[in-house]
Amino acid sequence: MNNIRKPLRYIAAVLLAASATMAQAQVRITEFSPWSSGNSGSPYRADWFELTNFGASAVDISGWSMDDDSQNAGVAFLTGIGSIAAGQSVIFLEGTGSDNATFISTWFGASAPAGFAIGNYAGSGIGLSTGGDQINIFNSAGALQASVSFGESTRGRTFDNAAGVNGTAAVPAFVSQLSTVGIHGAFTSVSGNEIGSPGAIAAAVPEPETYAMLLAGLGVVGAIARRRRRQA
């Protein structure tokens, strides 16, 4: 029996490690606003971006960081949010958190919707350019997880990447679509000055590869167990 259990435990560990890696890879940049920090039309005067977990399980983002087009891990660490649940969208606002309440009141009024989550990022030299830039997200090991680029921004409208297109360090995914009221949950902020959907897009659906890999792994485990029993 021990001869059966050992390979099964090994395969299970491999599957768990692989599924965790896939879950990290399914975190995407789904919305961002690069014009807010330098424009008096934004009361909170800080750039922000949204991360969405398209995977089937929660992703631990402890130690994750971001950078712009210099693409260096560890420049600006993500703080205030430790994990992203499956299908959840969370916001990261530039700064140390002093503008979070203003961000919430600007978009939602007296209080944020149930489940709304906001964190922060800050680092030397970090600042998204209104003329075009990149957002690059790195995990705790410094591996690139999500990457987008964009051109000139439009005051009062966020960039909409609800589809979760993603690029590489060599070729970041270029996002040009602007948020439009009624599309992908976009609305006009309570302040009346901004259009977007911070923290809320159409529910993220786990990618088919996640389920396919898990089912294939279970099939392998079952086949090995049956073969071992026949040989016993």
Side-chain angles (χ1 to χ4, degrees):
M1 183 62 71
N2 287 335
N3 290 334
I4 296 176
R5 289 176 177 172
K6 287 181 179 179
L8 291 183
R9 286 198 296 267
Y10 172 76
I11 293 171
V14 170
L15 288 173
L16 287 173
S19 63
T21 300
M22 289 183 68
Q24 289 188 11
Q26 291 168 29
V27 172
R28 300 286 186 256
I29 302 162
T30 46
E31 187 176 5
F32 50 94
S33 178
W35 66 273
S36 309
S37 62
N39 197 300
S40 58
S42 174
Y44 47 87
R45 303 292 295 273
D47 298 329
W48 59 273
F49 59 87
E50 175 187 79
L51 297 182
T52 298
N53 178 6
F54 285 84
S57 59
V59 175
D60 184 349
I61 61 169
S62 301
W64 284 35
S65 61
M66 70 82 65
D67 194 16
D68 51 24
D69 60 359
S70 56
Q71 298 186 351
N72 293 316
V75 173
F77 286 96
L78 308 186
T79 60
I81 297 175
S83 66
I84 307 176
Q88 183 183 21
S89 298
V90 300
I91 299 300
F92 286 94
L93 183 68
E94 183 181 10
T96 59
S98 59
D99 294 314
N100 290 8
T102 304
F103 179 92
I104 291 172
S105 63
T106 297
W107 279 96
F108 308 109
S111 61
F116 179 80
I118 184 169
N120 299 98
Y121 67 94
S124 177
I126 288 297
L128 301 180
S129 172
T130 57
D133 209 337
Q134 297 179 17
I135 302 175
N136 294 287
I137 305 298
F138 303 89
N139 67 13
S140 58
L144 184 67
Q145 299 298 298
S147 180
V148 297
S149 64
F150 55 92
E152 186 174 358
S153 61
T154 298
R155 174 178 170 177
R157 298 177 67 183
T158 68
F159 282 96
D160 174 6
N161 185 31
V165 297
N166 191 38
T168 64
V171 187
F174 185 76
V175 178
S176 60
Q177 181 173 336
L178 298 177
S179 292
T180 301
V181 173
I183 297 178
H184 299 145
F187 59 93
T188 301
S189 65
V190 169
S191 70
N193 296 323
E194 304 185 44
I195 295 175
S197 59
I201 63 170
V205 179
E207 295 182 359
E209 291 82 359
T210 302
Y211 291 130
M213 181 174 182
L214 291 176
L215 289 173
L218 291 174
V220 171
V221 171
I224 292 176
R226 288 192 296 272
R227 183 181 300 173
R228 292 288 185 177
R229 283 197 294 269
R230 285 197 299 269
Q231 293 174 350

